[in-house]
Amino acid sequence: LLWVCPVQLLSDTIYKDLWNEEDEQKLGFCDWKCMMFVQSWPGSFCVFLGSRFNCTIPAFVNTWTIHGLWPNNVKNCCYCWYLFQSDLQDLESQLSLYWPSLINKTAFLFWKNEWQKHGTCAGCMETLSSPSKYFGTALKLHTFY
C-alpha cells in the first residue's frame, strides 16, 4: 500500500511525468487530496478471499500485482463515464501482465469495476482524466514499487 499525494509528488523528480504544476492548482476540483496505490501478493490475496470467490493465480504471475489506484475517501463518482475495451487497447498487454484478475471474472470486468469505482473519481485531475491516463499512471507506479 502506497499513499500517493500529488502535491508531495510535484517536488519528486521520478514523478515529474505523472503530475505537473497545473494539476496542483486543479486539485481544488477534486474531493480528494491523496490516492492509495494498492498492490497484492497473489497467494495472500487468495488466502484472504477464502471460499468467497474462485481465486486463480495465472501461471505467469510471480510477483506483486496491481489491485488499484484509489483516490482517498471517494467512490463511484460518475456512473455515466463508461469504460470500453477500446479505451485500454494500447495498455491491455501490460494490464494483463501487471493488473490481472485473480477471481472468477474477466480482466476487463475487473478493470471496468476499478474504473467505475475509483477511476471516475480520479478524472478530476488532468493527468488522470481518461481511462488510458488513469490505468497508465498505475502501471508507471508499478515500475517504481
Side-chain angles (χ1 to χ4, degrees):
L1 178 65
L2 169 71
W3 280 99
V4 179
C5 299
V7 174
Q8 176 187 5
L9 295 180
L10 289 170
S11 62
D12 197 332
T13 56
I14 64 170
Y15 297 105
K16 288 291 185 194
D17 61 334
L18 298 179
W19 317 105
N20 59 46
E21 288 187 33
E22 268 184 35
D23 289 326
E24 181 179 13
Q25 296 166 2
K26 292 179 185 173
L27 279 175
F29 299 112
C30 297
D31 291 333
W32 54 270
K33 298 298 179 210
C34 293
M35 302 181 83
M36 287 187 291
F37 176 60
V38 183
Q39 298 185 84
S40 299
W41 185 256
S44 297
F45 180 78
C46 289
V47 168
F48 171 76
L49 288 178
S51 60
R52 291 181 289 170
F53 293 95
N54 180 22
C55 191
T56 306
I57 302 170
F60 62 85
V61 174
N62 60 5
T63 187
W64 292 88
T65 61
I66 299 171
H67 187 77
L69 181 61
W70 307 338
N72 66 319
N73 300 320
V74 293
K75 288 183 185 174
N76 302 312
C77 293
C78 180
Y79 288 104
C80 59
W81 197 350
Y82 300 105
L83 180 71
F84 299 97
Q85 280 197 279
S86 60
D87 292 328
L88 303 178
Q89 189 173 349
D90 295 339
L91 299 174
E92 192 164 1
S93 62
Q94 284 184 300
L95 287 170
S96 295
L97 189 60
Y98 301 115
W99 199 336
S101 176
L102 302 177
I103 60 172
N104 53 348
K105 60 166 81 167
T106 68
F108 180 74
L109 286 177
F110 177 43
W111 303 328
K112 186 176 178 181
N113 182 59
E114 288 296 302
W115 171 252
Q116 182 62 58
K117 198 170 182 181
H118 307 290
T120 59
C121 299
C124 61
M125 203 171 166
E126 176 63 30
T127 52
L128 300 169
S129 63
S130 71
S132 61
K133 289 178 180 181
Y134 170 76
F135 287 101
T137 297
L139 288 167
K140 284 181 184 179
L141 286 170
H142 184 70
T143 65
F144 298 133
Y145 302 102

